[in-house]
């Protein structure tokens, strides 16, 4: 569970608003919007990910501890269902409407399902982290 106190949140927001004039600061947003973009769910300024999907140990801006975040396989499960739904029904529509040969299906739908899965994985994991932060503080 992510432990966060109201004082910590106020301090992070005050720190963001007390920066020098001329320094561009990211606007404070909701935890979900920040996490989907790969930012810290508390302050929205620090980065959430260290690599493609590896979560940082802590936020470099506000110090929120990310080591207690446990998303498990939830994001991957949802992403597989979303990508499978989109690609599966699109392939069925194309087959019923145009009757292309099987090699066309392989060339079109396999790369599409891979691209969709990779494109949605990071925002999906960020969303799960943002939801966990929002609901367990």
């Amino acid at each position: 569970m992510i432990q966060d106190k109201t004082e910590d949140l106020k301090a992070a927001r005050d720190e963001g608003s007390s920066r020098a004039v001329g320094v561009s600061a990211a606007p404070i947003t909701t935890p979900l919007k920040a996490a989907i973009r790969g930012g810290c769910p508390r302050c929205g300024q620090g980065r959430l990910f260290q690599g493609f999907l590896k979560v940082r140990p802590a936020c470099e801006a506000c110090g929120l501890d990310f080591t207690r975040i446990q998303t498990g396989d939830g994001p991957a499960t949802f992403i597989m269902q979303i990508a499978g739904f989109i690609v599966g029904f699109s392939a069925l529509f194309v087959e019923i409407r145009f009757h292309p040969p099987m090699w066309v299906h392989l060339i079109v739908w396999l790369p599409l399902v891979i691209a969709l899965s990779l494109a949605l994985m990071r925002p999906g994991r960020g969303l799960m982290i943002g939801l966990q932060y929002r609901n367990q503080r």
Side-chain angles (χ1 to χ4, degrees):
M1 296 222 301
I2 302 172
Q3 299 295 326
D4 194 17
K5 298 177 183 165
T6 307
E7 299 86 31
D8 295 336
L9 183 58
K10 288 179 183 175
R13 288 178 191 253
D14 291 341
E15 179 181 312
S17 64
S18 66
R19 293 181 182 224
V21 176
V23 175
S24 139
I28 303 295
T29 62
T30 65
L32 298 181
K33 287 180 184 177
I36 288 173
R37 287 189 312 243
C40 173
R42 178 170 37 178
C43 67
Q45 296 173 356
R47 292 182 299 172
L48 183 61
F49 296 106
Q50 192 167 356
F52 180 64
L53 286 177
K54 184 172 179 168
V55 179
R56 293 181 170 278
C59 175
E60 67 259 5
C62 68
L64 178 64
D65 183 20
F66 296 141
T67 58
R68 296 176 171 220
I69 295 174
Q70 298 296 324
T71 59
D73 292 334
T77 303
F78 289 123
I79 299 308
M80 285 188 304
Q81 290 175 1
I82 292 168
F85 177 80
I86 292 170
V87 171
F89 282 103
S90 299
L92 282 173
F93 175 77
V94 169
E95 177 61 34
I96 292 170
R97 175 81 180 191
F98 302 108
H99 304 292
M102 186 56 70
W103 64 269
V104 172
H105 284 296
L106 293 174
I107 289 175
V108 172
W109 305 117
L110 285 178
L112 183 60
V113 78
I114 291 169
L116 270 175
S117 298
L118 291 175
L120 294 174
M121 189 58 68
R122 191 170 172 154
R125 185 159 181 166
L127 175 66
M128 293 291 279
I129 291 169
L131 284 170
Q132 186 177 5
Y133 173 79
R134 186 187 73 179
N135 294 326
Q136 291 186 0
R137 57 183 164 137

